[in-house]
Amino acid sequence: MPFKTIIEPFKIKSVEPIYMSTEKERGAFLKKAFYNPFQLRSEQVIIDFLTDSGTSAMSARQWAGIMMGDESYAGSESWHKMEKAIQELTGFKNVLPTHQGRAAERILYSHLGGKGKVFFSNTHFDTTRANIEFSGAEAIDIPIPESKDPELIHPFKGNMDTTLLEVLIKKYDPKNVGAVILTVTNNSGGGQPVSMANTKMISSICKKYGVTFIIDCCRIAENSYFVQHRESGYENTSYRDIAHEMFSLADGAVMSAKKDALVNMGGFFAVKDSGLAEACRSLLIITEGFSTYGGLSGRDMEAIAIGLEEVFDPDYLKYRIRSTEYLGEKLHKMGVPIMLPVGGHAVYINSRALYPHIPLDEYPGQALVCELYLKGGIRCAEVGSVMFGKYDEKHKLIPAPMDLVRLAIPRRVYTQSHIEYVIEVFEKILKDRSKIKGYSITYEPEFLRHFTAHFEPLKSKTPVQK
Ligand SMILES: *Cc1c(COP(=O)(O)O)cnc(C)c1O
């Protein structure tokens, strides 16, 4: 019988101290940060769940690889290792290295996009949408309807609505479609997996209409875990082979290596079509760097090549997915409204359900983000109307479909007792839920406002005189 406790399948060789701030100190830190945790200093944070991006702990093998990094300007050995690792994993011949995911997106989508073009996705990640819209094109999200019900159990809630995809391709005319982008796992929609069956269906629709099909593969290993455990026919297929099969259905892939490549910086895109690669390569050289390093140093490329191998280790993936699920299960049992089932890299809290008394234009998600920081020094991100809200002509908020708060778990960084602490903080959050007030925005930029917006806590409304 295997033991029920799933331990971290690694030992710790190097540690980073955490400053244990007091609640009073955190109140001052948060005020100074304009109530936007993106503006906090990291030493002011106890548990950092802001993102799983670039926050992974590298392995001893990766650190050894750092020393092996070949810093040659052209034809670096480390580049050849990274290129080979990506070609073997994805099956795509043409690999273009970039300093991170959004640089790959900017190059590829500014080439495929532009005015009059439209992109469809299960959900465009925020930088994906921003790059597409910045090119003048339109980005339309078409997740399956089940994804909009935060408590509905569905094994592949990250799937794309393929019926709608075909209707929309015909409506917009295939020649105006920049690309269909499948985000695996679906980050903004809850870290939910995408099935192989759904990917096959998308692939055949794209082939039928001659539309480019791109996989945003930031969390491809985590997605493969779910396919093996939830989709019939894949029980005995290795995680790597599942990923390989998924790539074989697409024309290309974009990756932020800061996720499942287990590194702190890096990205790439890889495409089947040499003509497309050639067209993008010029833009790569103008803005990122020569085609054998993009925006990366040799040591980064070395660590990516190793990380892409380590991430498919079955013991690692089991620990990774199960520990995220453990946090979600505990919160759910306590009565915290969370997105179900729990996704691969994050637990999403439904802040609208937690704080039903806070109007949507007073941002219940931001209220929870601030509370978690004040009470426990936990930093996390709002994924709701702050991130995706728009305004109508009268500057009235058009809220996002959901107001979620994301607790994103860095890879190989926190232990079980850190997670137990977070669970305890939530007991306090639940106790105080009815007292919590909303926030107003006092400053915001035009694009990606959640990174730099300023907020102000709202005072209690004066009771109406009878
Ligand atoms: C992180 C991420 C990106 C952007 O990558 P960066 O490395 O942050 O620029 C794109 N798509 C998805 C799904 C992501 O999670």
Side-chain angles (χ1 to χ4, degrees):
M1 259 296 281
F3 292 105
K4 127 173 153 295
T5 308
I6 295 168
I7 64 166
E8 289 83 13
F10 48 79
K11 296 182 285 181
I12 297 164
K13 190 183 303 238
S14 180
V15 299
E16 238 182 306
I18 296 174
Y19 172 65
M20 302 302 290
S21 57
T22 63
E23 190 167 339
K24 186 155 173 261
E25 284 175 312
R26 290 193 293 271
F29 295 151
L30 190 62
K31 188 164 180 221
K32 216 172 152 210
F34 302 101
Y35 299 91
N36 184 345
F38 277 103
Q39 305 287 320
L40 288 168
R41 296 176 65 125
S42 73
E43 65 173 20
Q44 298 166 338
V45 174
I46 294 177
I47 302 284
D48 208 344
F49 282 171
L50 188 61
T51 174
D52 64 321
S53 178
T55 51
S56 301
M58 289 206 294
S59 65
R61 243 184 97 212
Q62 283 177 299
W63 280 110
I66 292 278
M67 283 309 294
M68 299 293 291
D70 175 0
E71 305 302 338
S72 305
Y73 190 94
S76 151
E77 284 310 312
S78 301
W79 157 246
H80 286 296
K81 279 189 202 161
M82 172 174 159
E83 185 188 37
K84 186 160 170 273
I86 295 164
Q87 285 170 334
E88 283 176 2
L89 175 64
T90 64
F92 302 129
K93 195 169 79 204
N94 309 285
V95 183
L96 286 81
T98 60
H99 79 279
Q100 63 183 94
R102 70 196 68 183
E105 292 177 331
R106 178 180 50 80
I107 293 169
L108 185 61
Y109 301 143
S110 63
H111 181 75
L112 296 173
K115 220 174 150 40
K117 289 286 165 71
V118 61
F119 290 73
F120 304 115
S121 176
N122 45 347
T123 307
H124 294 84
F125 180 65
D126 58 358
T127 60
T128 316
R129 170 175 291 278
N131 273 298
I132 289 169
E133 290 177 353
F134 195 72
S135 85
E138 193 183 348
I140 299 176
D141 292 338
I142 46 167
I144 52 167
E146 290 88 337
S147 73
K148 298 200 177 86
D149 180 346
E151 276 167 47
L152 181 92
I153 304 284
H154 184 290
F156 292 104
K157 243 174 158 173
N159 283 354
M160 190 185 289
D161 186 334
T162 48
T163 313
L164 192 54
L165 175 66
E166 186 155 15
V167 169
L168 289 175
I169 289 177
K170 281 196 263 189
K171 180 179 158 197
Y172 282 85
D173 195 326
K175 74 175 195 309
N176 295 323
V177 179
V180 173
I181 303 166
L182 185 64
T183 312
V184 299
T185 56
N186 191 7
N187 189 347
S188 313
Q192 300 292 333
V194 176
S195 71
M196 192 71 79
N198 190 249
T199 313
K200 282 183 183 161
M201 183 61 98
I202 296 163
S203 179
S204 75
I205 294 170
C206 288
K207 284 204 176 83
K208 180 172 165 191
Y209 294 98
V211 168
T212 305
F213 175 27
I214 302 291
I215 294 181
D216 178 334
C217 68
C218 291
R219 297 176 183 80
I220 185 76
E222 291 170 6
N223 199 79
S224 298
Y225 181 93
F226 288 110
V227 169
Q228 194 198 70
H229 292 264
R230 292 184 185 170
E231 192 162 356
S232 70
Y234 289 93
E235 301 83 357
N236 301 314
T237 313
S238 75
Y239 299 127
R240 224 188 136 77
D241 287 348
I242 290 170
H244 196 77
E245 181 177 340
M246 203 165 250
F247 285 122
S248 76
L249 298 165
D251 299 302
V254 172
M255 186 178 198
S256 165
K258 299 168 74 173
K259 323 292 172 33
D260 267 357
L262 300 172
V263 295
N264 306 116
M265 191 49 73
F268 64 85
F269 64 106
V271 291
K272 215 187 304 187
D273 183 61
S274 300
L276 174 60
E278 201 41 51
C280 291
R281 206 164 274 133
S282 318
L283 201 51
L284 177 80
I285 295 171
I286 294 168
T287 60
E288 282 286 295
F290 186 59
S291 54
T292 63
Y293 70 88
L296 297 168
S297 47
R299 48 183 171 270
D300 294 331
M301 298 192 285
E302 194 82 26
I304 289 170
I306 297 166
L308 281 175
E309 199 183 299
E310 286 183 350
V311 76
F312 286 100
D313 174 64
D315 289 331
Y316 161 74
L317 277 177
K318 181 178 178 193
Y319 142 78
R320 170 73 181 154
I321 304 298
R322 277 295 300 141
S323 62
T324 307
E325 207 167 42
Y326 175 82
L327 173 61
E329 278 167 6
K330 287 275 170 148
L331 295 182
H332 180 57
K333 277 209 191 98
M334 275 162 62
V336 178
I338 65 162
M339 180 112 174
L340 290 170
V342 178
H345 68 285
V347 174
Y348 283 73
I349 318 287
N350 178 357
S351 65
R352 270 185 208 173
L354 182 69
Y355 298 139
H357 58 286
I358 301 179
L360 299 188
D361 60 0
E362 295 178 9
Y363 304 106
Q366 195 65 23
L368 178 58
V369 158
C370 289
E371 268 308 284
L372 279 167
Y373 177 70
L374 288 170
K375 298 267 155 65
I378 300 164
R379 174 157 75 169
C380 49
E382 194 263 11
V383 182
S385 301
V386 174
M387 193 182 264
F388 295 116
K390 301 246 149 140
Y391 294 111
D392 66 14
E393 319 78 62
K394 294 191 187 111
H395 205 70
K396 198 171 143 13
L397 179 79
I398 307 166
M402 290 189 270
D403 277 287
L404 304 172
V405 165
R406 185 181 75 167
L407 310 179
I409 323 283
R411 295 170 181 78
R412 306 192 289 207
V413 171
Y414 293 113
T415 63
Q416 176 94 12
S417 68
H418 290 118
I419 302 287
E420 300 292 355
Y421 167 84
V422 173
I423 293 164
E424 217 180 308
V425 172
F426 266 96
E427 285 170 12
K428 184 101 174 86
I429 298 279
L430 274 180
K431 224 168 84 207
D432 295 346
R433 66 200 285 185
S434 61
K435 286 188 264 175
I436 305 307
K437 308 259 161 3
Y439 283 76
S440 66
I441 294 181
T442 55
Y443 158 78
E444 60 184 299
E446 196 185 340
F447 289 101
L448 302 176
R449 67 175 180 169
H450 53 286
F451 289 130
T452 52
H454 294 177
F455 299 86
E456 207 169 63
L458 290 162
K459 302 269 173 336
S460 316
K461 298 219 168 68
T462 7
V464 182
Q465 301 281 321
K466 291 242 170 86

